[in-house]
Amino acid sequence: MFRRFWLANIASNFGGLVQAVGAAWMMTLISDSDALVALVQASTTLPVMVFSLISGAVADSYDRRRIMLASQIFMLAAAIALTVFAYEGWLNAWLLLTFTFLIGCGMAFNNPAWQASVRDFVGKDLLPGAVLLNGVGFNVTRSVAPAIGGTIVATAGASVAFLVNALSYLGLLFAVWTWRGSESDEGQRREPLRSAIGSGIRYVALSPNLMRIYSRGFVFGLTAVVMLALLPLIARDTLAGDSFTFGLLLGAFGFGAVLGGLWSAAIARHLSSEWMVRLSFLCMALATACVSLSVWLPVTMIAVGL
């Protein structure tokens, strides 16, 4: 069952990344506003931030199979609507942002339920390996899907990229439909939703180390996401490229994540976790500065990969 979900998630991630290329590049074509181009990235990630507390509590309080099933059906419907609107030429900037926001809402509720279900599939002993495989699967997909997405957008149009994403949900829907849930959770008394959210907030508020980690992660994420949000403009304006150029840059980002994952274990033998984080932040800062100044695609790809 874990293998079935893992493969289906890889297919779904592939479709989502192809759609991300299509949506971001389409915005550069239908709007001259740099802010609207950046909002494509924001519209996808904003629901995760807004609904994170609620979706985490929902995943702990209700049937995860039903949550994932409802989320996948909702995202499939939004993806089909986006495909139809793009094919018929009905899309404008705000409709595009609305559809990407709705798909992000589905992701915000689906992902916590999926992540919490991994232990049901593999048990406690195999959980670290399963989590690692999830990360590897996503990053490997992220290293190839954007370039393929850029090719699809350049040759067939954004509507085909959106269709690829809609079709990618079918495998995950099949996996969820054939899963019967965890028998160990049947009859277990669940904490009320409001109480669960309050418990999570209190736990973090009373844990100084967690507060420091979350605060640092928030500041880093708030600034680091700027490069991803503006990458379509870098491809179009700075590098004078097309959707394939944008896909190559996103692919370099994913390829760098794969290499980072492979090297992290070896680096951890020589550096503490704290120093790894500090050096990673420094590397990110220098690479972002290089991206902002480079006008050559190979140099920009290397910097994005770093």
Side-chain angles (χ1 to χ4, degrees):
M1 185 57 66
F2 172 77
R3 179 171 60 248
R4 185 180 300 174
F5 266 86
W6 186 73
L7 292 173
N9 266 289
I10 287 179
S12 182
N13 289 333
F14 175 86
L17 290 165
V18 169
Q19 182 218 255
V21 174
W25 194 254
M26 174 163 272
M27 185 62 85
T28 66
L29 300 178
I30 63 178
S31 173
D32 295 328
S33 170
D34 295 351
L36 287 175
V37 173
L39 280 176
V40 174
Q41 176 73 22
S43 66
T44 305
T45 56
L46 183 63
V48 178
M49 183 187 75
V50 172
F51 298 119
S52 58
L53 281 175
I54 298 174
S55 60
V58 167
D60 282 339
S61 301
Y62 297 97
D63 188 324
R64 292 170 191 153
R65 177 179 176 271
R66 293 182 180 180
I67 295 170
M68 287 190 283
L69 200 58
S71 300
Q72 292 295 327
I73 292 174
F74 180 82
M75 287 189 287
L76 175 61
I80 291 174
L82 175 58
T83 303
V84 172
F85 272 64
Y87 180 78
E88 296 292 342
W90 298 339
L91 273 184
N92 57 36
W94 293 107
L95 278 174
L96 178 59
L97 291 176
T98 299
F99 283 123
T100 53
F101 179 80
L102 291 175
I103 293 173
C105 290
M107 291 172 54
F109 282 90
N110 178 80
N111 290 352
W114 153 241
Q115 292 161 0
S117 299
V118 172
R119 183 172 177 173
D120 297 336
F121 299 142
V122 301
K124 182 179 179 180
D125 294 338
L126 295 178
L127 184 60
V131 173
L132 177 63
L133 272 177
N134 280 338
V136 169
F138 176 73
N139 284 321
V140 168
T141 307
R142 192 166 63 173
S143 65
V144 297
I148 297 175
T151 303
I152 292 173
V153 174
T155 57
S159 61
V160 177
F162 300 151
L163 177 61
V164 169
N165 181 49
L167 294 175
S168 72
Y169 291 121
L170 298 179
L172 203 48
L173 273 171
F174 174 76
V176 177
W177 185 261
T178 55
W179 177 45
R180 291 305 165 212
S182 174
E183 296 180 359
S184 62
D185 288 341
E186 291 184 3
Q188 182 177 344
R189 187 176 180 181
R190 298 292 189 179
E191 187 176 6
L193 188 61
R194 183 182 299 179
S195 175
I197 294 174
S199 296
I201 294 174
R202 284 194 301 272
Y203 181 77
V204 173
L206 297 175
S207 304
N209 288 334
L210 278 180
M211 285 296 293
R212 283 194 290 269
I213 291 171
Y214 284 140
S215 298
R216 181 165 60 180
F218 174 77
V219 173
F220 174 73
L222 188 66
T223 53
V225 77
V226 170
M227 185 175 69
L228 279 178
L230 298 179
L231 214 52
L233 297 175
I234 293 171
R236 187 192 67 182
D237 300 336
T238 308
L239 301 177
D242 54 13
S243 59
F244 182 69
T245 306
F246 174 49
L248 286 177
L249 293 178
L250 278 180
F253 193 84
F255 184 70
V258 173
L259 291 183
L262 294 175
W263 293 341
S264 61
I267 296 174
R269 289 195 288 266
H270 303 285
L271 294 174
S272 67
S273 297
E274 183 62 29
W275 272 106
M276 285 181 65
V277 171
R278 291 172 180 172
L279 292 177
S280 297
F281 283 13
L282 179 61
C283 180
M284 181 76 178
L286 294 175
T288 303
C290 182
V291 170
S292 71
L293 297 173
S294 172
V295 294
W296 294 289
L297 178 59
V299 175
T300 305
M301 288 181 63
I302 292 172
V304 171
L306 288 175

